[in-house]
């Protein structure tokens, strides 16, 4: 009974916080730390992110921390690489383990690679010959546990670090999730709620904000003043997910998921995804995301698709996943993921 009461309190808290959200409106695109919104993992991306119910184990760390504890194996390791837009790459690594009587712990690192950018100035608009390399790294730690045989909860703390040449910013963001399996006593029907990127504002600082002062009468030596950078909010989101897993027969299974996402700095998103599995070995996936509140050009990404192969190597699980995602104005995204389970 205490576990059920705790579930009710957590769910009420999430829904209460969600009441603070509103459509982005004039604030669209004004949030910072948007690398938090870049998805990871081929399986989830191939279903357009409609996987806060279906993702379990280490692959659930980004989508829904509550499902970390539901993994098939006790220990996982995962690495993913994505060719993102405009020659940007996204590398992601994660490890997790289940501890009997305690729950599951997970650790993640995500790095956004932009490459070298030429340094330009007013005097040298074509470049000085020097370059700089921006750095966007997110480190996460997750705790998840079962409250009952149907209900799981999880929380993630992410340390955000951003550096652009001589200025940098550091912040912390929290994700909270709840997952309910076999909703209304229907086998295969699941429900989930996830609140992401909740935390204090971030702010840039560093010597790069020092500006040389100009003396009009040349009566003073060279001095510098420092620009006070404005603070920025995190791109918080609320996601509600519903999924149904149909076991057609011993060899064939079909999973269908849907997610509604509300953002404090963007329009509402609706995500649909499906996965067909054969002998728990070969998987085919597809998905689509649409935003009815915004015009068609606002949605950079289109249809998604992918496949996965699952091998059992004598007690060691090996999963190879690939995802393809259409992109307007840019080359399509290609995502590759390797997962090991022990």
């Amino acid at each position: 009974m205490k576990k059920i009461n705790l579930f009710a309190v957590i769910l009420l808290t999430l829904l209460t916080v969600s009441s603070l959200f509103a459509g982005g409106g004039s604030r669209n695109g004004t949030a910072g730390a948007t690398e938090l919104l870049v998805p990871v993992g081929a399986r989830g991306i191939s279903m357009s992110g409609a996987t806060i119910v279906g993702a379990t184990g280490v692959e659930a760390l980004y989508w829904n921390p509550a499902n970390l504890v539901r993994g098939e194996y006790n220990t996982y390791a995962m690495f993913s690489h994505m060719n993102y837009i405009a020659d940007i790459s996204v590398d992601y690594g994660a490890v997790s383990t289940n501890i009997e009587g305690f729950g599951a712990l997970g650790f993640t690192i995500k790095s956004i690679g932009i490459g070298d950018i030429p340094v330009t100035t007013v005097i040298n608009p074509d470049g000085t010959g020097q370059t700089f390399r921006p750095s966007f790294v997110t480190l996460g730690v997750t705790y998840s546990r079962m409250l009952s045989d149907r209900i799981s909860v999880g929380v993630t703390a992410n340390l955000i670090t951003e550096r652009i040449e001589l200025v940098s910013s550091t912040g912390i963001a929290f994700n909270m999730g709840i997952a309910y399996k076999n909703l209304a006593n229907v086998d295969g029907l699941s429900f989930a709620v996830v609140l992401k990127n909740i935390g204090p504002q971030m702010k840039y600082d560093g010597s790069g904000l020092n500006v040389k002062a100009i003396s009009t009468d040349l009566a003073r030596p060279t001095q510098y003043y420092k620009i006070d950078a404005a603070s920025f909010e995190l791109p918080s989101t609320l996601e509600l997910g519903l999924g149904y897993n149909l076991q057609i027969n011993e060899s064939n299974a079909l999973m269908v998921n849907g997610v509604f996402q509300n953002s404090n700095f963007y329009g509402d998103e609706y995500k649909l995804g499906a996965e067909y599995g054969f002998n728990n070995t070969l998987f085919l996936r597809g998905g689509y995301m649409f935003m009815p509140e915004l015009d068609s050009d606002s949605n950079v990404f289109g249809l998604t698709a992918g496949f996965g192969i699952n091998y059992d190597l004598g007690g060691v699980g090996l999963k190879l996943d690939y995802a393809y995602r259409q992109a307007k104005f840019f080359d399509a995204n290609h995502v590759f993921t390797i997962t090991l389970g022990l």
Side-chain angles (χ1 to χ4, degrees):
M1 182 62 70
K2 291 182 178 180
K3 291 182 178 180
I4 300 301
N5 289 338
L6 177 60
F7 166 74
V9 171
I10 296 174
L11 180 59
L12 181 61
T13 301
L14 288 178
L15 294 178
T16 300
V17 173
S18 71
S19 66
L20 302 177
F21 283 66
S26 61
R27 301 197 303 168
N28 281 354
T30 61
T34 53
E35 68 270 22
L36 294 172
L37 299 177
V38 178
V40 293
R43 182 171 183 257
I45 293 175
S46 65
M47 293 190 285
S48 293
T51 186
I52 68 172
V53 170
T56 59
V58 69
E59 72 175 21
L61 283 169
Y62 174 80
W63 305 104
N64 184 359
N67 280 332
L68 172 63
V69 73
R70 296 182 185 269
E72 179 182 356
Y73 296 92
N74 284 329
T75 302
Y76 284 96
M78 173 181 170
F79 174 76
S80 182
H81 173 81
M82 174 166 61
N83 296 328
Y84 199 47
I85 59 176
D87 296 327
I88 298 173
S89 63
V90 182
D91 292 304
Y92 175 82
V95 294
S96 69
T97 185
N98 274 357
I99 303 174
E100 186 175 356
F102 175 74
L105 286 175
F107 303 91
T108 63
I109 179 171
K110 179 168 70 173
S111 176
I112 310 293
I114 298 178
D116 294 329
I117 298 177
V119 175
T120 60
T121 64
V122 175
I123 300 176
N124 299 287
D126 295 325
T128 63
Q130 298 176 315
T131 61
F132 68 96
R133 176 170 292 188
S135 173
F136 299 88
V137 178
T138 304
L139 300 174
V141 57
T142 297
Y143 172 69
S144 173
R145 68 169 298 164
M146 299 293 301
L147 294 184
S148 70
D149 60 337
R150 298 186 181 186
I151 303 168
S152 62
V153 296
V155 61
T156 296
N158 284 318
L159 177 65
I160 312 157
T161 59
E162 301 182 354
R163 178 175 294 276
I164 305 176
E165 198 175 20
L166 299 178
V167 296
S168 62
S169 180
T170 302
I172 188 169
F174 294 94
N175 301 340
M176 295 170 284
I178 297 174
Y180 194 110
K181 188 176 181 180
N182 294 338
L183 182 67
N185 291 323
V186 177
D187 289 340
L189 182 63
S190 300
F191 173 75
V193 181
V194 184
L195 192 60
K196 293 181 179 178
N197 309 326
I198 303 299
Q201 293 184 345
M202 296 175 59
K203 186 176 183 179
Y204 273 96
D205 197 3
S207 60
L209 296 176
N210 294 334
V211 179
K212 183 184 292 187
I214 299 175
S215 175
T216 57
D217 56 8
L218 303 179
R220 296 182 180 182
T222 300
Q223 293 182 327
Y224 289 84
Y225 65 91
K226 189 172 185 179
I227 297 174
D228 186 18
S231 300
F232 55 87
E233 295 184 48
L234 301 182
S236 304
T237 62
L238 171 72
E239 296 182 59
L240 306 176
L242 190 67
Y244 183 68
N245 190 1
L246 174 63
Q247 190 67 42
I248 302 172
N249 52 43
E250 292 184 359
S251 300
N252 299 276
L254 178 65
M255 176 186 294
V256 180
N257 294 333
V259 168
F260 165 76
Q261 177 179 301
N262 177 249
S263 172
N264 60 346
F265 284 97
Y266 207 49
D268 292 343
E269 299 180 14
Y270 298 83
K271 307 174 184 180
L272 299 174
E275 176 186 72
Y276 164 75
F278 176 73
N279 278 340
N280 198 34
T281 300
L282 176 64
F283 299 90
L284 302 177
R285 307 172 181 121
Y288 185 70
M289 183 268 288
F290 57 98
M291 298 179 291
E293 294 181 344
L294 305 179
D295 59 71
S296 59
D297 288 338
S298 298
N299 186 9
V300 176
F301 302 106
L303 291 171
T304 59
F307 64 88
I309 300 174
N310 186 14
Y311 289 101
D312 186 356
L313 305 176
V316 178
L318 172 62
K319 292 181 64 178
L320 305 175
D321 295 302
Y322 166 77
Y324 167 88
R325 180 166 65 164
Q326 280 185 330
K328 294 180 181 178
F329 320 117
F330 302 96
D331 292 336
N333 295 170
H334 299 277
V335 193
F336 303 89
T337 301
I338 300 175
T339 306
L340 291 174
L342 301 173

